[in-house]
Every structure is written in structure tokens, then in C-alpha cells.
Amino acid sequence: MLSRIPFPRMSVTGMGLCSLVAIFFCPRAIGSNILFPGFRLLFGTLYPAYASYKAVRTKNVKEYVKWMMYWIVFAFFTFIETFTDILLSWFPFYYEIKVIVVLWLLSPATRGSSTLYRKFVHPMLTRREQEIDDYINQAKEKGYTAVLQLGSKGVNYATNVIMQTAIKHVPTEQLLNLTLKSNES
């Protein structure tokens, strides 16, 4: 049924620009709570995920590197966005600017993610790579120790609960008999 409906063919950039117009003209609450998260999911995550899949499937190294750079930059964008949403969401055209940034990152014409990666992300990670690796290793070691300590505490707690439950349900006469027998020995 849907195959008979003539949908206009549109590029990813064209669909993104239509989304920007929709976000711009709709009420702020709808744009910030419904349209932008939908846009970000579709254009910032699902489309790049599918393009990454295609690059891996076809073993196209150039496309693979391009999408790896995108995902690294997008991870930084998401991290920064977490804080800017709290601090700057009141700013006029904030969500529209975020749409433009996502389109800029995705667009083959601007090569935004590649530009950001090569000029900022790669040099910063290269300078701090050893420090980051050290932090990750420390976190792994502390995490392993914490899991062991938590597991030990959990076993001790479970043992205490089982013992207390058993003591509550054993008649007092039997406890006295057991105590007397252990004292006589």
C-alpha cells in the first residue's frame, strides 16, 4: 500500500533542513522536548549507525575512517551537550543551533566531524593519551577491588540474614538444649 504513494526523494541534508524549519516554527516546548530529540536520534545516531554498518560491510576503509571520526566527535558533542542543555537551554535558538551543528557534523560538503577531529580532538587525545590510559587502568583496578569487597559484604549479609531467620524459627527449648550440650562438652 505504501509503495503506491509517491513520496518525494530527499537527501539526508534536505531532510535535516526540513527538520530545522519544523523546529524553528513550532512552539519551543514541542521543539525542545519532541522534535529535537527525534531529529538527534534519526540524524545524529540512526543514519550514522547505518552508514557505519555499510562501511564495515563493504570494507570501505575511507568510509570506515570517516564514520569512526564522526562517532568520536559525536561522543564529545553528546558529553558537552549534557552540560550545555542545563546551562544554555534558555538561550534563544539554542535547539536550532544544535540542529545546525549536527547537520554540519554529518554533511559531506562541510566535513564537519572530520574537521573537528583533525584540528581539535585528535591533537587533544594524543597529548593526553597516556594520562587517560592511566585513569582507565586505575578505574579497572579499583572497580575490581570494589566488586570483590561488595561481593564479600553481600555474602556476609546473606549469611547473617539466614542465621537470624533460622534462630527466630527454632523453638527456645531447642536453643537451650543446644547451648547446654555445647557447654557440657
Side-chain angles (χ1 to χ4, degrees), residues 4-16:
R4 287 186 251 155
I5 300 173
F7 286 113
R9 304 239 355 143
M10 192 180 287
S11 69
V12 172
T13 306
M15 288 187 288

PDB file of all heavy atoms in Angstrom, residues 4-16:
ATOM      1  N   ARG A   4       2.667   2.471  -3.255  1.00  0.00           N
ATOM      2  CA  ARG A   4       1.921   3.187  -4.297  1.00  0.00           C
ATOM      3  C   ARG A   4       1.869   4.693  -4.050  1.00  0.00           C
ATOM      4  O   ARG A   4       1.546   5.458  -4.935  1.00  0.00           O
ATOM      5  CB  ARG A   4       0.497   2.639  -4.376  1.00  0.00           C
ATOM      6  CG  ARG A   4       0.473   1.254  -5.018  1.00  0.00           C
ATOM      7  CD  ARG A   4      -0.932   0.795  -5.222  1.00  0.00           C
ATOM      8  NE  ARG A   4      -1.135  -0.289  -4.251  1.00  0.00           N
ATOM      9  CZ  ARG A   4      -2.270  -0.665  -3.757  1.00  0.00           C
ATOM     10  NH1 ARG A   4      -3.368  -0.053  -4.093  1.00  0.00           N
ATOM     11  NH2 ARG A   4      -2.344  -1.655  -2.905  1.00  0.00           N
ATOM     12  N   ILE A   5       2.179   5.117  -2.819  1.00  0.00           N
ATOM     13  CA  ILE A   5       2.156   6.544  -2.505  1.00  0.00           C
ATOM     14  C   ILE A   5       3.468   7.158  -2.984  1.00  0.00           C
ATOM     15  O   ILE A   5       4.542   6.711  -2.601  1.00  0.00           O
ATOM     16  CB  ILE A   5       1.979   6.778  -0.992  1.00  0.00           C
ATOM     17  CG1 ILE A   5       0.668   6.163  -0.526  1.00  0.00           C
ATOM     18  CG2 ILE A   5       2.032   8.264  -0.661  1.00  0.00           C
ATOM     19  CD1 ILE A   5       0.479   6.194   0.975  1.00  0.00           C
ATOM     20  N   PRO A   6       3.390   8.203  -3.812  1.00  0.00           N
ATOM     21  CA  PRO A   6       4.629   8.791  -4.348  1.00  0.00           C
ATOM     22  C   PRO A   6       5.286   9.735  -3.327  1.00  0.00           C
ATOM     23  O   PRO A   6       4.944  10.910  -3.242  1.00  0.00           O
ATOM     24  CB  PRO A   6       4.152   9.554  -5.586  1.00  0.00           C
ATOM     25  CG  PRO A   6       2.735   9.906  -5.282  1.00  0.00           C
ATOM     26  CD  PRO A   6       2.207   8.794  -4.407  1.00  0.00           C
ATOM     27  N   PHE A   7       6.209   9.217  -2.524  1.00  0.00           N
ATOM     28  CA  PHE A   7       6.952  10.054  -1.589  1.00  0.00           C
ATOM     29  C   PHE A   7       8.068  10.754  -2.346  1.00  0.00           C
ATOM     30  O   PHE A   7       8.745  10.135  -3.179  1.00  0.00           O
ATOM     31  CB  PHE A   7       7.574   9.205  -0.473  1.00  0.00           C
ATOM     32  CG  PHE A   7       6.573   8.712   0.528  1.00  0.00           C
ATOM     33  CD1 PHE A   7       6.287   7.356   0.628  1.00  0.00           C
ATOM     34  CD2 PHE A   7       5.925   9.587   1.377  1.00  0.00           C
ATOM     35  CE1 PHE A   7       5.379   6.893   1.548  1.00  0.00           C
ATOM     36  CE2 PHE A   7       5.011   9.126   2.305  1.00  0.00           C
ATOM     37  CZ  PHE A   7       4.732   7.787   2.392  1.00  0.00           C
ATOM     38  N   PRO A   8       8.274  12.035  -2.068  1.00  0.00           N
ATOM     39  CA  PRO A   8       9.387  12.717  -2.738  1.00  0.00           C
ATOM     40  C   PRO A   8      10.722  12.187  -2.213  1.00  0.00           C
ATOM     41  O   PRO A   8      10.855  11.923  -1.036  1.00  0.00           O
ATOM     42  CB  PRO A   8       9.193  14.188  -2.361  1.00  0.00           C
ATOM     43  CG  PRO A   8       8.348  14.180  -1.146  1.00  0.00           C
ATOM     44  CD  PRO A   8       7.540  12.919  -1.191  1.00  0.00           C
ATOM     45  N   ARG A   9      11.684  11.995  -3.102  1.00  0.00           N
ATOM     46  CA  ARG A   9      13.018  11.551  -2.686  1.00  0.00           C
ATOM     47  C   ARG A   9      13.780  12.772  -2.207  1.00  0.00           C
ATOM     48  O   ARG A   9      13.769  13.808  -2.859  1.00  0.00           O
ATOM     49  CB  ARG A   9      13.734  10.887  -3.852  1.00  0.00           C
ATOM     50  CG  ARG A   9      12.934   9.748  -4.424  1.00  0.00           C
ATOM     51  CD  ARG A   9      13.503   8.413  -4.457  1.00  0.00           C
ATOM     52  NE  ARG A   9      14.842   8.211  -4.041  1.00  0.00           N
ATOM     53  CZ  ARG A   9      15.207   7.129  -3.381  1.00  0.00           C
ATOM     54  NH1 ARG A   9      14.325   6.233  -3.067  1.00  0.00           N
ATOM     55  NH2 ARG A   9      16.453   6.948  -3.053  1.00  0.00           N
ATOM     56  N   MET A  10      14.414  12.630  -1.050  1.00  0.00           N
ATOM     57  CA  MET A  10      15.100  13.768  -0.476  1.00  0.00           C
ATOM     58  C   MET A  10      16.416  13.298   0.119  1.00  0.00           C
ATOM     59  O   MET A  10      16.502  12.211   0.680  1.00  0.00           O
ATOM     60  CB  MET A  10      14.216  14.377   0.621  1.00  0.00           C
ATOM     61  CG  MET A  10      14.659  15.730   1.104  1.00  0.00           C
ATOM     62  SD  MET A  10      13.581  16.407   2.382  1.00  0.00           S
ATOM     63  CE  MET A  10      12.157  16.856   1.449  1.00  0.00           C
ATOM     64  N   SER A  11      17.431  14.131   0.012  1.00  0.00           N
ATOM     65  CA  SER A  11      18.731  13.784   0.598  1.00  0.00           C
ATOM     66  C   SER A  11      18.665  13.915   2.114  1.00  0.00           C
ATOM     67  O   SER A  11      17.738  14.519   2.663  1.00  0.00           O
ATOM     68  CB  SER A  11      19.815  14.715   0.046  1.00  0.00           C
ATOM     69  OG  SER A  11      19.607  16.027   0.558  1.00  0.00           O
ATOM     70  N   VAL A  12      19.652  13.368   2.768  1.00  0.00           N
ATOM     71  CA  VAL A  12      19.722  13.462   4.225  1.00  0.00           C
ATOM     72  C   VAL A  12      19.824  14.928   4.641  1.00  0.00           C
ATOM     73  O   VAL A  12      19.172  15.362   5.585  1.00  0.00           O
ATOM     74  CB  VAL A  12      20.927  12.650   4.768  1.00  0.00           C
ATOM     75  CG1 VAL A  12      21.138  12.890   6.246  1.00  0.00           C
ATOM     76  CG2 VAL A  12      20.734  11.180   4.475  1.00  0.00           C
ATOM     77  N   THR A  13      20.608  15.710   3.915  1.00  0.00           N
ATOM     78  CA  THR A  13      20.734  17.136   4.228  1.00  0.00           C
ATOM     79  C   THR A  13      19.400  17.845   4.030  1.00  0.00           C
ATOM     80  O   THR A  13      19.012  18.680   4.840  1.00  0.00           O
ATOM     81  CB  THR A  13      21.828  17.787   3.354  1.00  0.00           C
ATOM     82  OG1 THR A  13      23.041  17.041   3.501  1.00  0.00           O
ATOM     83  CG2 THR A  13      22.058  19.221   3.741  1.00  0.00           C
ATOM     84  N   GLY A  14      18.686  17.502   2.981  1.00  0.00           N
ATOM     85  CA  GLY A  14      17.373  18.111   2.739  1.00  0.00           C
ATOM     86  C   GLY A  14      16.391  17.781   3.843  1.00  0.00           C
ATOM     87  O   GLY A  14      15.636  18.649   4.306  1.00  0.00           O
ATOM     88  N   MET A  15      16.400  16.522   4.299  1.00  0.00           N
ATOM     89  CA  MET A  15      15.514  16.150   5.411  1.00  0.00           C
ATOM     90  C   MET A  15      15.919  16.878   6.686  1.00  0.00           C
ATOM     91  O   MET A  15      15.075  17.308   7.467  1.00  0.00           O
ATOM     92  CB  MET A  15      15.557  14.633   5.629  1.00  0.00           C
ATOM     93  CG  MET A  15      14.859  13.852   4.535  1.00  0.00           C
ATOM     94  SD  MET A  15      14.732  12.099   4.880  1.00  0.00           S
ATOM     95  CE  MET A  15      16.413  11.572   4.675  1.00  0.00           C
ATOM     96  N   GLY A  16      17.220  17.036   6.882  1.00  0.00           N
ATOM     97  CA  GLY A  16      17.697  17.765   8.062  1.00  0.00           C
ATOM     98  C   GLY A  16      17.266  19.217   8.034  1.00  0.00           C
ATOM     99  O   GLY A  16      16.847  19.775   9.052  1.00  0.00           O
TER     100      GLY A  16
END
